[in-house]
Amino acid sequence: MGRELMPEELRELLAAYALDAVTDPEELAALEAFLARDEQARQELADLRETASFLAYVDEEAPASLWERIESSLGARPPRLTLRLPTPDSVVSSPGRRRGVAQWWRAAAAVAAAAALGVIVYQQVEVSDQAGRIDHLAASVADRGLAQAARAAAMDSRSHALMLVSRDQTMRAKTVMMPDGTGYLMENDLPPLTRTHTYQMWAITGDPLRPTYVSLGILGRDPDVSAFRADGPVLGFAVTVEEMPGVTAPHHVPVVEGRFA
Amino acid sequence: MASDDLRAASDAQLVVSIGRFRQDALAEAYRRHAGAAFGLALRILRERTLAEEIVQDVFLRLWNDPERFDPGRGSLRAYLLAQTHGRAVDLLRAEVARKHREERDARRTPVPADDLEREVWELTLAEQVRGALEQLSSDERDAIGLAYFGGHSYREVASLLGAPEGTVKSRIRSGLGRLRQSLVATGYVEDAGPWAEN
């Protein structure tokens, strides 16, 4: 083909493309680049495919045995993963190792928050196989500190618990936050996600009528206990599902959310 | 969402449930759309075994990657049928289907317009869709039929019909545009779209 196609020519090709009737590699590459940069073209293609689907309006019944084969191929639910973070003793070095319970807990929370940030930075370096890297981190870290820190916070009389709930009330996630902003996502029934997505936690701040969502970090695709730190006044928390490696602002409606009274 | 509620759920809600590993949600999507997908694949490939493989692949992909469906871009039916059509056409064009296709090409060259018209009509049992197709010229129906059900590229369609490639592209575009306008008029789709005025 050689020359670059003009937008009008590419639009002319969209209908044939919608019918899978474009096979020239150069035309296909030009169309795909056009679609990647032109929202109107993408919508037009969606409309064309919607229209074409009516051509296939046939009264045919799929074989019952076919569903049985599909059902048997679905496989088991993926195993739950636990994102575990380093214990204070293994990461935080301090000349004096005399720590009271409260100080140990604060150190664990600080380490957890720093490790979560490190996870985010680490994952921004490599785009591929992000879920595998979280799994690797989870498997490589001791499991004592975070869960204990979360339980201690929950029992602390100064903490504030907040239950995040989905709109249909089918999913819940418990959060606990201390006065200094450290907090934990604890018991939750968030279902595991595919490897290309992650849960991300947000602090709801600012005007209650027009709140701002501030990222508190990604939680992985199957969070267990997770630590976070929220600085400043917080109206509540929310969790969204985002594409790996996470986003700077929510791209989707929260799957669970809660506001302090 | 309880299993009973899935029957009344929107396609978007179904896909959300599929994303939460609800097999009953996938079963409901299959109940709603597998017939159309299987019929389309069967029409293109003319072999039940191959058509079943295509449908199986399409629904397993829905299970594994539900987030690929964007409810803002169209219906789940259109999404599944586009997936079905693409895979069926790919298979049709592959080496293993080449022999059958050559036989069909021999039957189609030269192609009486009346035969193609009857072929397309056989597939549209809904009266409203038949009425929408009546709005198209025979040239438009021929081009769309050869491309969509024959698995031919627009260049192959041009060769089969003895028409310039640009003409065939225009016929496909105008035909789909007028089909959409008719479907809008009958309430099957919401908006004709800015391009359909051609």
mmCIF file of all heavy atoms in Angstrom, chain A residues 11-12 19-21 27 39 43-44 46-48 50-51 54 57-60 63 69 171 192, chain B residues 20-21 27 30 35 52 67 73-75 85-86 93 123 125 153-155 170 173 180 188 195:
data_model
loop_
_atom_site.group_PDB
_atom_site.id
_atom_site.type_symbol
_atom_site.label_atom_id
_atom_site.label_comp_id
_atom_site.label_asym_id
_atom_site.label_seq_id
_atom_site.Cartn_x
_atom_site.Cartn_y
_atom_site.Cartn_z
ATOM 1 N N ARG A 11 -12.234 6.055 7.876
ATOM 2 C CA ARG A 11 -13.652 5.947 8.251
ATOM 3 C C ARG A 11 -14.416 5.102 7.240
ATOM 4 O O ARG A 11 -15.325 4.373 7.609
ATOM 5 C CB ARG A 11 -14.279 7.334 8.356
ATOM 6 C CG ARG A 11 -13.821 8.094 9.572
ATOM 7 C CD ARG A 11 -14.691 9.309 9.857
ATOM 8 N NE ARG A 11 -14.060 10.121 10.897
ATOM 9 C CZ ARG A 11 -14.096 9.837 12.197
ATOM 10 N NH1 ARG A 11 -14.764 8.791 12.612
ATOM 11 N NH2 ARG A 11 -13.488 10.618 13.068
ATOM 12 N N GLU A 12 -14.044 5.244 5.982
ATOM 13 C CA GLU A 12 -14.688 4.454 4.937
ATOM 14 C C GLU A 12 -14.439 2.962 5.148
ATOM 15 O O GLU A 12 -15.260 2.124 4.773
ATOM 16 C CB GLU A 12 -14.165 4.893 3.570
ATOM 17 C CG GLU A 12 -14.933 4.352 2.386
ATOM 18 C CD GLU A 12 -16.285 5.005 2.205
ATOM 19 O OE1 GLU A 12 -16.610 5.971 2.921
ATOM 20 O OE2 GLU A 12 -17.054 4.529 1.354
ATOM 21 N N LEU A 19 -17.101 -5.842 9.916
ATOM 22 C CA LEU A 19 -17.528 -7.144 9.414
ATOM 23 C C LEU A 19 -16.345 -8.095 9.261
ATOM 24 O O LEU A 19 -16.478 -9.137 8.608
ATOM 25 C CB LEU A 19 -18.242 -6.985 8.060
ATOM 26 C CG LEU A 19 -19.478 -6.088 8.028
ATOM 27 C CD1 LEU A 19 -20.155 -6.170 6.668
ATOM 28 C CD2 LEU A 19 -20.450 -6.440 9.131
ATOM 29 N N ASP A 20 -15.202 -7.728 9.842
ATOM 30 C CA ASP A 20 -13.988 -8.553 9.738
ATOM 31 C C ASP A 20 -13.599 -8.761 8.277
ATOM 32 O O ASP A 20 -13.080 -9.823 7.897
ATOM 33 C CB ASP A 20 -14.178 -9.912 10.423
ATOM 34 C CG ASP A 20 -14.456 -9.772 11.899
ATOM 35 O OD1 ASP A 20 -13.635 -9.146 12.588
ATOM 36 O OD2 ASP A 20 -15.515 -10.250 12.356
ATOM 37 N N ALA A 21 -13.831 -7.750 7.456
ATOM 38 C CA ALA A 21 -13.587 -7.871 6.018
ATOM 39 C C ALA A 21 -12.368 -7.085 5.561
ATOM 40 O O ALA A 21 -12.204 -6.810 4.368
ATOM 41 C CB ALA A 21 -14.820 -7.404 5.233
ATOM 42 N N GLU A 27 -3.479 -1.931 6.126
ATOM 43 C CA GLU A 27 -4.772 -1.295 6.424
ATOM 44 C C GLU A 27 -5.187 -1.596 7.861
ATOM 45 O O GLU A 27 -5.708 -0.721 8.560
ATOM 46 C CB GLU A 27 -5.846 -1.781 5.450
ATOM 47 C CG GLU A 27 -5.678 -1.223 4.040
ATOM 48 C CD GLU A 27 -6.781 -1.681 3.103
ATOM 49 O OE1 GLU A 27 -7.409 -2.733 3.388
ATOM 50 O OE2 GLU A 27 -7.014 -1.001 2.085
ATOM 51 N N GLU A 39 -11.780 8.692 19.549
ATOM 52 C CA GLU A 39 -12.897 8.171 20.326
ATOM 53 C C GLU A 39 -14.150 8.020 19.466
ATOM 54 O O GLU A 39 -14.894 7.056 19.589
ATOM 55 C CB GLU A 39 -13.168 9.104 21.520
ATOM 56 C CG GLU A 39 -14.513 8.923 22.186
ATOM 57 C CD GLU A 39 -14.708 7.565 22.813
ATOM 58 O OE1 GLU A 39 -13.706 6.901 23.130
ATOM 59 O OE2 GLU A 39 -15.889 7.153 22.983
ATOM 60 N N GLN A 43 -16.463 4.653 18.853
ATOM 61 C CA GLN A 43 -17.904 4.554 19.056
ATOM 62 C C GLN A 43 -18.600 4.134 17.770
ATOM 63 O O GLN A 43 -19.547 3.344 17.791
ATOM 64 C CB GLN A 43 -18.455 5.900 19.554
ATOM 65 C CG GLN A 43 -19.926 5.839 19.939
ATOM 66 C CD GLN A 43 -20.216 4.795 20.996
ATOM 67 O OE1 GLN A 43 -19.606 4.762 22.051
ATOM 68 N NE2 GLN A 43 -21.157 3.887 20.697
ATOM 69 N N GLU A 44 -18.106 4.678 16.654
ATOM 70 C CA GLU A 44 -18.704 4.306 15.367
ATOM 71 C C GLU A 44 -18.521 2.810 15.127
ATOM 72 O O GLU A 44 -19.445 2.122 14.671
ATOM 73 C CB GLU A 44 -18.059 5.101 14.236
ATOM 74 C CG GLU A 44 -18.674 4.798 12.862
ATOM 75 C CD GLU A 44 -18.089 5.677 11.767
ATOM 76 O OE1 GLU A 44 -17.552 6.759 12.094
ATOM 77 O OE2 GLU A 44 -18.172 5.266 10.597
ATOM 78 N N ALA A 46 -18.227 0.483 17.384
ATOM 79 C CA ALA A 46 -19.131 -0.225 18.288
ATOM 80 C C ALA A 46 -20.549 -0.231 17.725
ATOM 81 O O ALA A 46 -21.251 -1.245 17.766
ATOM 82 C CB ALA A 46 -19.102 0.425 19.674
ATOM 83 N N ASP A 47 -20.982 0.914 17.163
ATOM 84 C CA ASP A 47 -22.321 1.000 16.578
ATOM 85 C C ASP A 47 -22.442 0.077 15.360
ATOM 86 O O ASP A 47 -23.472 -0.576 15.156
ATOM 87 C CB ASP A 47 -22.618 2.444 16.159
ATOM 88 C CG ASP A 47 -22.794 3.369 17.345
ATOM 89 O OD1 ASP A 47 -22.992 2.879 18.480
ATOM 90 O OD2 ASP A 47 -22.727 4.604 17.145
ATOM 91 N N LEU A 48 -21.392 0.032 14.555
ATOM 92 C CA LEU A 48 -21.409 -0.825 13.368
ATOM 93 C C LEU A 48 -21.506 -2.292 13.762
ATOM 94 O O LEU A 48 -22.245 -3.073 13.159
ATOM 95 C CB LEU A 48 -20.155 -0.588 12.534
ATOM 96 C CG LEU A 48 -20.127 0.702 11.713
ATOM 97 C CD1 LEU A 48 -18.699 1.073 11.317
ATOM 98 C CD2 LEU A 48 -21.000 0.584 10.475
ATOM 99 N N GLU A 50 -22.715 -3.424 16.537
ATOM 100 C CA GLU A 50 -24.056 -3.624 17.113
ATOM 101 C C GLU A 50 -25.055 -3.857 15.985
ATOM 102 O O GLU A 50 -25.885 -4.750 16.067
ATOM 103 C CB GLU A 50 -24.438 -2.392 17.923
ATOM 104 C CG GLU A 50 -25.795 -2.493 18.599
ATOM 105 C CD GLU A 50 -25.709 -3.130 19.979
ATOM 106 O OE1 GLU A 50 -24.715 -2.868 20.674
ATOM 107 O OE2 GLU A 50 -26.620 -3.888 20.338
ATOM 108 N N THR A 51 -24.946 -3.069 14.946
ATOM 109 C CA THR A 51 -25.848 -3.214 13.801
ATOM 110 C C THR A 51 -25.649 -4.572 13.150
ATOM 111 O O THR A 51 -26.618 -5.266 12.823
ATOM 112 C CB THR A 51 -25.599 -2.093 12.786
ATOM 113 O OG1 THR A 51 -25.781 -0.827 13.433
ATOM 114 C CG2 THR A 51 -26.547 -2.199 11.608
ATOM 115 N N PHE A 54 -27.384 -7.744 14.404
ATOM 116 C CA PHE A 54 -28.776 -8.027 14.042
ATOM 117 C C PHE A 54 -28.882 -8.890 12.798
ATOM 118 O O PHE A 54 -29.905 -9.524 12.566
ATOM 119 C CB PHE A 54 -29.549 -6.721 13.862
ATOM 120 C CG PHE A 54 -29.917 -6.076 15.157
ATOM 121 C CD1 PHE A 54 -29.050 -5.190 15.778
ATOM 122 C CD2 PHE A 54 -31.114 -6.367 15.775
ATOM 123 C CE1 PHE A 54 -29.371 -4.620 16.994
ATOM 124 C CE2 PHE A 54 -31.447 -5.785 16.993
ATOM 125 C CZ PHE A 54 -30.575 -4.909 17.605
ATOM 126 N N TYR A 57 -29.483 -12.584 13.655
ATOM 127 C CA TYR A 57 -30.644 -12.860 14.501
ATOM 128 C C TYR A 57 -31.306 -14.142 14.014
ATOM 129 O O TYR A 57 -32.249 -14.123 13.252
ATOM 130 C CB TYR A 57 -31.625 -11.699 14.423
ATOM 131 C CG TYR A 57 -32.572 -11.646 15.588
ATOM 132 C CD1 TYR A 57 -32.354 -10.753 16.625
ATOM 133 C CD2 TYR A 57 -33.670 -12.478 15.660
ATOM 134 C CE1 TYR A 57 -33.203 -10.693 17.695
ATOM 135 C CE2 TYR A 57 -34.532 -12.434 16.731
ATOM 136 C CZ TYR A 57 -34.291 -11.526 17.751
ATOM 137 O OH TYR A 57 -35.133 -11.458 18.823
ATOM 138 N N VAL A 58 -30.790 -15.238 14.456
ATOM 139 C CA VAL A 58 -31.300 -16.522 13.979
ATOM 140 C C VAL A 58 -31.886 -17.300 15.143
ATOM 141 O O VAL A 58 -31.475 -17.149 16.288
ATOM 142 C CB VAL A 58 -30.184 -17.348 13.308
ATOM 143 C CG1 VAL A 58 -29.690 -16.660 12.070
ATOM 144 C CG2 VAL A 58 -29.039 -17.572 14.278
ATOM 145 N N ASP A 59 -32.851 -18.122 14.842
ATOM 146 C CA ASP A 59 -33.498 -18.925 15.865
ATOM 147 C C ASP A 59 -32.801 -20.269 15.961
ATOM 148 O O ASP A 59 -33.308 -21.301 15.521
ATOM 149 C CB ASP A 59 -34.973 -19.108 15.520
ATOM 150 C CG ASP A 59 -35.739 -19.770 16.646
ATOM 151 O OD1 ASP A 59 -35.190 -19.834 17.761
ATOM 152 O OD2 ASP A 59 -36.856 -20.214 16.395
ATOM 153 N N GLU A 60 -31.630 -20.250 16.505
ATOM 154 C CA GLU A 60 -30.834 -21.473 16.628
ATOM 155 C C GLU A 60 -30.565 -21.728 18.096
ATOM 156 O O GLU A 60 -30.333 -20.801 18.865
ATOM 157 C CB GLU A 60 -29.490 -21.284 15.895
ATOM 158 C CG GLU A 60 -28.633 -22.524 15.789
ATOM 159 C CD GLU A 60 -29.141 -23.515 14.759
ATOM 160 O OE1 GLU A 60 -29.455 -23.089 13.639
ATOM 161 O OE2 GLU A 60 -29.204 -24.711 15.087
ATOM 162 N N PRO A 63 -26.207 -26.440 21.461
ATOM 163 C CA PRO A 63 -26.346 -27.775 22.053
ATOM 164 C C PRO A 63 -26.173 -27.741 23.569
ATOM 165 O O PRO A 63 -25.315 -27.039 24.091
ATOM 166 C CB PRO A 63 -25.212 -28.571 21.400
ATOM 167 C CG PRO A 63 -24.839 -27.804 20.188
ATOM 168 C CD PRO A 63 -25.121 -26.380 20.473
ATOM 169 N N ARG A 69 -19.600 -28.741 28.511
ATOM 170 C CA ARG A 69 -18.160 -28.683 28.237
ATOM 171 C C ARG A 69 -17.569 -27.355 28.733
ATOM 172 O O ARG A 69 -16.469 -27.314 29.289
ATOM 173 C CB ARG A 69 -17.886 -28.847 26.743
ATOM 174 C CG ARG A 69 -18.203 -30.226 26.215
ATOM 175 C CD ARG A 69 -17.363 -30.542 24.993
ATOM 176 N NE ARG A 69 -17.551 -29.585 23.910
ATOM 177 C CZ ARG A 69 -18.526 -29.659 23.015
ATOM 178 N NH1 ARG A 69 -19.423 -30.615 23.103
ATOM 179 N NH2 ARG A 69 -18.611 -28.780 22.050
ATOM 180 N N MET A 171 -21.012 -7.021 49.677
ATOM 181 C CA MET A 171 -19.581 -7.065 49.994
ATOM 182 C C MET A 171 -19.266 -6.071 51.108
ATOM 183 O O MET A 171 -19.835 -4.989 51.166
ATOM 184 C CB MET A 171 -18.753 -6.721 48.751
ATOM 185 C CG MET A 171 -18.799 -7.773 47.662
ATOM 186 S SD MET A 171 -17.649 -7.406 46.336
ATOM 187 C CE MET A 171 -18.366 -5.905 45.670
ATOM 188 N N PRO A 192 -11.538 -12.390 44.625
ATOM 189 C CA PRO A 192 -10.260 -12.257 43.911
ATOM 190 C C PRO A 192 -10.477 -11.721 42.495
ATOM 191 O O PRO A 192 -11.485 -12.017 41.858
ATOM 192 C CB PRO A 192 -9.716 -13.684 43.871
ATOM 193 C CG PRO A 192 -10.465 -14.418 44.924
ATOM 194 C CD PRO A 192 -11.812 -13.774 45.027
ATOM 195 N N ARG B 20 -17.068 -11.798 39.274
ATOM 196 C CA ARG B 20 -16.949 -12.287 40.651
ATOM 197 C C ARG B 20 -17.020 -13.807 40.706
ATOM 198 O O ARG B 20 -17.378 -14.383 41.720
ATOM 199 C CB ARG B 20 -18.077 -11.682 41.504
ATOM 200 C CG ARG B 20 -17.928 -10.188 41.669
ATOM 201 C CD ARG B 20 -19.096 -9.570 42.383
ATOM 202 N NE ARG B 20 -18.958 -8.125 42.467
ATOM 203 C CZ ARG B 20 -19.923 -7.307 42.802
ATOM 204 N NH1 ARG B 20 -21.123 -7.771 43.082
ATOM 205 N NH2 ARG B 20 -19.706 -6.011 42.852
ATOM 206 N N PHE B 21 -16.730 -14.422 39.580
ATOM 207 C CA PHE B 21 -16.639 -15.878 39.493
ATOM 208 C C PHE B 21 -17.973 -16.564 39.779
ATOM 209 O O PHE B 21 -17.998 -17.658 40.330
ATOM 210 C CB PHE B 21 -15.547 -16.409 40.441
ATOM 211 C CG PHE B 21 -14.170 -15.928 40.073
ATOM 212 C CD1 PHE B 21 -13.642 -14.803 40.682
ATOM 213 C CD2 PHE B 21 -13.424 -16.559 39.105
ATOM 214 C CE1 PHE B 21 -12.384 -14.326 40.327
ATOM 215 C CE2 PHE B 21 -12.162 -16.101 38.748
ATOM 216 C CZ PHE B 21 -11.650 -14.982 39.366
ATOM 217 N N ALA B 27 -23.770 -18.931 33.070
ATOM 218 C CA ALA B 27 -24.819 -19.802 32.537
ATOM 219 C C ALA B 27 -25.989 -18.975 32.011
ATOM 220 O O ALA B 27 -26.587 -19.304 30.978
ATOM 221 C CB ALA B 27 -25.292 -20.776 33.619
ATOM 222 N N TYR B 30 -24.997 -17.461 28.781
ATOM 223 C CA TYR B 30 -25.071 -18.523 27.774
ATOM 224 C C TYR B 30 -26.518 -18.761 27.345
ATOM 225 O O TYR B 30 -26.810 -18.878 26.153
ATOM 226 C CB TYR B 30 -24.478 -19.807 28.354
ATOM 227 C CG TYR B 30 -24.443 -20.966 27.389
ATOM 228 C CD1 TYR B 30 -23.361 -21.163 26.541
ATOM 229 C CD2 TYR B 30 -25.501 -21.875 27.320
ATOM 230 C CE1 TYR B 30 -23.325 -22.225 25.654
ATOM 231 C CE2 TYR B 30 -25.476 -22.934 26.434
ATOM 232 C CZ TYR B 30 -24.384 -23.111 25.606
ATOM 233 O OH TYR B 30 -24.365 -24.160 24.730
ATOM 234 N N GLY B 35 -27.329 -19.208 21.636
ATOM 235 C CA GLY B 35 -28.040 -19.607 20.428
ATOM 236 C C GLY B 35 -27.651 -18.750 19.234
ATOM 237 O O GLY B 35 -27.364 -19.256 18.139
ATOM 238 N N GLU B 52 -19.352 -25.202 17.490
ATOM 239 C CA GLU B 52 -19.360 -25.405 18.946
ATOM 240 C C GLU B 52 -18.025 -24.974 19.557
ATOM 241 O O GLU B 52 -17.998 -24.367 20.639
ATOM 242 C CB GLU B 52 -19.633 -26.879 19.265
ATOM 243 C CG GLU B 52 -21.062 -27.311 18.967
ATOM 244 C CD GLU B 52 -21.304 -28.776 19.289
ATOM 245 O OE1 GLU B 52 -20.509 -29.349 20.073
ATOM 246 O OE2 GLU B 52 -22.278 -29.353 18.772
ATOM 247 N N GLU B 67 -13.707 -8.104 31.931
ATOM 248 C CA GLU B 67 -13.497 -6.666 31.880
ATOM 249 C C GLU B 67 -13.312 -6.152 30.461
ATOM 250 O O GLU B 67 -13.348 -4.944 30.228
ATOM 251 C CB GLU B 67 -12.284 -6.278 32.727
ATOM 252 C CG GLU B 67 -10.980 -6.886 32.286
ATOM 253 C CD GLU B 67 -10.715 -8.252 32.865
ATOM 254 O OE1 GLU B 67 -11.656 -8.870 33.392
ATOM 255 O OE2 GLU B 67 -9.571 -8.720 32.791
ATOM 256 N N ARG B 73 -20.193 0.623 25.230
ATOM 257 C CA ARG B 73 -19.905 0.498 23.799
ATOM 258 C C ARG B 73 -20.967 -0.293 23.062
ATOM 259 O O ARG B 73 -20.922 -0.372 21.846
ATOM 260 C CB ARG B 73 -18.554 -0.204 23.602
ATOM 261 C CG ARG B 73 -17.365 0.619 24.026
ATOM 262 C CD ARG B 73 -17.114 1.754 23.089
ATOM 263 N NE ARG B 73 -15.904 2.463 23.440
ATOM 264 C CZ ARG B 73 -15.688 3.746 23.197
ATOM 265 N NH1 ARG B 73 -16.636 4.455 22.614
ATOM 266 N NH2 ARG B 73 -14.566 4.312 23.542
ATOM 267 N N GLY B 74 -21.876 -0.935 23.762
ATOM 268 C CA GLY B 74 -22.874 -1.735 23.070
ATOM 269 C C GLY B 74 -23.348 -2.881 23.941
ATOM 270 O O GLY B 74 -22.921 -3.031 25.082
ATOM 271 N N SER B 75 -24.219 -3.685 23.394
ATOM 272 C CA SER B 75 -24.814 -4.769 24.170
ATOM 273 C C SER B 75 -23.851 -5.948 24.295
ATOM 274 O O SER B 75 -22.919 -6.108 23.495
ATOM 275 C CB SER B 75 -26.110 -5.241 23.497
ATOM 276 O OG SER B 75 -25.799 -5.845 22.242
ATOM 277 N N HIS B 85 -17.995 -13.865 15.384
ATOM 278 C CA HIS B 85 -17.788 -13.638 13.966
ATOM 279 C C HIS B 85 -16.307 -13.586 13.628
ATOM 280 O O HIS B 85 -15.842 -14.199 12.668
ATOM 281 C CB HIS B 85 -18.479 -12.339 13.534
ATOM 282 C CG HIS B 85 -18.465 -12.123 12.057
ATOM 283 N ND1 HIS B 85 -17.468 -11.412 11.422
ATOM 284 C CD2 HIS B 85 -19.312 -12.545 11.087
ATOM 285 C CE1 HIS B 85 -17.702 -11.399 10.122
ATOM 286 N NE2 HIS B 85 -18.809 -12.076 9.891
ATOM 287 N N GLY B 86 -15.539 -12.856 14.413
ATOM 288 C CA GLY B 86 -14.109 -12.736 14.160
ATOM 289 C C GLY B 86 -13.408 -14.088 14.178
ATOM 290 O O GLY B 86 -12.598 -14.398 13.297
ATOM 291 N N ARG B 93 -10.884 -18.760 7.105
ATOM 292 C CA ARG B 93 -9.789 -18.365 6.233
ATOM 293 C C ARG B 93 -8.539 -19.209 6.434
ATOM 294 O O ARG B 93 -7.596 -19.102 5.703
ATOM 295 C CB ARG B 93 -9.460 -16.879 6.471
ATOM 296 C CG ARG B 93 -10.539 -15.917 6.012
ATOM 297 C CD ARG B 93 -10.269 -14.507 6.503
ATOM 298 N NE ARG B 93 -11.327 -13.591 6.072
ATOM 299 C CZ ARG B 93 -11.525 -12.394 6.597
ATOM 300 N NH1 ARG B 93 -10.742 -11.958 7.574
ATOM 301 N NH2 ARG B 93 -12.487 -11.626 6.147
ATOM 302 N N LEU B 123 -31.673 -16.175 7.207
ATOM 303 C CA LEU B 123 -31.064 -16.068 8.516
ATOM 304 C C LEU B 123 -31.799 -15.096 9.438
ATOM 305 O O LEU B 123 -31.486 -14.996 10.599
ATOM 306 C CB LEU B 123 -29.616 -15.608 8.367
ATOM 307 C CG LEU B 123 -28.763 -16.591 7.587
ATOM 308 C CD1 LEU B 123 -27.519 -15.922 7.078
ATOM 309 C CD2 LEU B 123 -28.395 -17.765 8.462
ATOM 310 N N LEU B 125 -35.026 -14.391 11.059
ATOM 311 C CA LEU B 125 -36.379 -14.830 11.343
ATOM 312 C C LEU B 125 -37.220 -13.720 11.945
ATOM 313 O O LEU B 125 -38.433 -13.812 11.960
ATOM 314 C CB LEU B 125 -36.330 -16.034 12.289
ATOM 315 C CG LEU B 125 -35.604 -17.257 11.742
ATOM 316 C CD1 LEU B 125 -35.742 -18.421 12.693
ATOM 317 C CD2 LEU B 125 -36.126 -17.632 10.372
ATOM 318 N N SER B 153 -12.931 -10.852 2.439
ATOM 319 C CA SER B 153 -12.468 -9.479 2.612
ATOM 320 C C SER B 153 -13.194 -8.591 1.605
ATOM 321 O O SER B 153 -13.777 -9.093 0.628
ATOM 322 C CB SER B 153 -10.959 -9.389 2.379
ATOM 323 O OG SER B 153 -10.673 -9.616 1.008
ATOM 324 N N TYR B 154 -13.182 -7.281 1.828
ATOM 325 C CA TYR B 154 -13.905 -6.402 0.900
ATOM 326 C C TYR B 154 -13.304 -6.471 -0.495
ATOM 327 O O TYR B 154 -14.006 -6.316 -1.497
ATOM 328 C CB TYR B 154 -13.946 -4.972 1.449
ATOM 329 C CG TYR B 154 -12.670 -4.167 1.298
ATOM 330 C CD1 TYR B 154 -12.412 -3.422 0.157
ATOM 331 C CD2 TYR B 154 -11.719 -4.146 2.323
ATOM 332 C CE1 TYR B 154 -11.248 -2.688 0.024
ATOM 333 C CE2 TYR B 154 -10.555 -3.421 2.204
ATOM 334 C CZ TYR B 154 -10.323 -2.690 1.053
ATOM 335 O OH TYR B 154 -9.156 -1.959 0.923
ATOM 336 N N ARG B 155 -11.987 -6.757 -0.566
ATOM 337 C CA ARG B 155 -11.342 -6.882 -1.874
ATOM 338 C C ARG B 155 -11.820 -8.134 -2.597
ATOM 339 O O ARG B 155 -12.027 -8.121 -3.816
ATOM 340 C CB ARG B 155 -9.827 -6.898 -1.706
ATOM 341 C CG ARG B 155 -9.287 -5.561 -1.232
ATOM 342 C CD ARG B 155 -7.797 -5.534 -1.089
ATOM 343 N NE ARG B 155 -7.352 -4.193 -0.721
ATOM 344 C CZ ARG B 155 -6.096 -3.884 -0.441
ATOM 345 N NH1 ARG B 155 -5.151 -4.812 -0.488
ATOM 346 N NH2 ARG B 155 -5.763 -2.640 -0.115
ATOM 347 N N SER B 170 -18.026 1.407 0.052
ATOM 348 C CA SER B 170 -19.141 2.347 0.199
ATOM 349 C C SER B 170 -20.464 1.611 0.389
ATOM 350 O O SER B 170 -21.308 2.023 1.177
ATOM 351 C CB SER B 170 -19.239 3.251 -1.028
ATOM 352 O OG SER B 170 -18.106 4.078 -1.133
ATOM 353 N N ARG B 173 -20.669 0.276 3.895
ATOM 354 C CA ARG B 173 -20.886 1.366 4.844
ATOM 355 C C ARG B 173 -22.312 1.910 4.752
ATOM 356 O O ARG B 173 -22.989 2.085 5.765
ATOM 357 C CB ARG B 173 -19.871 2.469 4.579
ATOM 358 C CG ARG B 173 -19.936 3.632 5.539
ATOM 359 C CD ARG B 173 -18.800 4.603 5.242
ATOM 360 N NE ARG B 173 -18.922 5.846 5.985
ATOM 361 C CZ ARG B 173 -18.590 6.009 7.262
ATOM 362 N NH1 ARG B 173 -18.109 4.989 7.951
ATOM 363 N NH2 ARG B 173 -18.733 7.162 7.866
ATOM 364 N N ARG B 180 -29.015 0.362 10.206
ATOM 365 C CA ARG B 180 -29.092 0.932 11.554
ATOM 366 C C ARG B 180 -30.229 1.939 11.658
ATOM 367 O O ARG B 180 -30.945 1.976 12.653
ATOM 368 C CB ARG B 180 -27.764 1.580 11.932
ATOM 369 C CG ARG B 180 -27.740 2.033 13.392
ATOM 370 C CD ARG B 180 -26.356 2.453 13.832
ATOM 371 N NE ARG B 180 -26.351 2.839 15.239
ATOM 372 C CZ ARG B 180 -26.212 1.969 16.240
ATOM 373 N NH1 ARG B 180 -26.070 0.687 15.973
ATOM 374 N NH2 ARG B 180 -26.216 2.392 17.499
ATOM 375 N N TYR B 188 -35.017 -0.987 17.898
ATOM 376 C CA TYR B 188 -34.052 -2.012 18.301
ATOM 377 C C TYR B 188 -32.758 -1.426 18.802
ATOM 378 O O TYR B 188 -32.051 -2.033 19.596
ATOM 379 C CB TYR B 188 -33.780 -2.956 17.132
ATOM 380 C CG TYR B 188 -34.765 -4.089 17.045
ATOM 381 C CD1 TYR B 188 -35.900 -3.998 16.259
ATOM 382 C CD2 TYR B 188 -34.568 -5.246 17.782
ATOM 383 C CE1 TYR B 188 -36.801 -5.029 16.206
ATOM 384 C CE2 TYR B 188 -35.466 -6.294 17.730
ATOM 385 C CZ TYR B 188 -36.589 -6.174 16.940
ATOM 386 O OH TYR B 188 -37.485 -7.200 16.892
ATOM 387 N N TRP B 195 -22.684 8.821 11.594
ATOM 388 C CA TRP B 195 -22.187 8.335 10.326
ATOM 389 C C TRP B 195 -23.281 7.706 9.498
ATOM 390 O O TRP B 195 -23.100 7.447 8.320
ATOM 391 C CB TRP B 195 -21.102 7.272 10.580
ATOM 392 C CG TRP B 195 -21.589 6.210 11.496
ATOM 393 C CD1 TRP B 195 -21.589 6.232 12.850
ATOM 394 C CD2 TRP B 195 -22.235 4.996 11.127
ATOM 395 N NE1 TRP B 195 -22.148 5.101 13.355
ATOM 396 C CE2 TRP B 195 -22.567 4.315 12.333
ATOM 397 C CE3 TRP B 195 -22.562 4.402 9.918
ATOM 398 C CZ2 TRP B 195 -23.198 3.089 12.338
ATOM 399 C CZ3 TRP B 195 -23.192 3.164 9.933
ATOM 400 C CH2 TRP B 195 -23.510 2.531 11.142
#
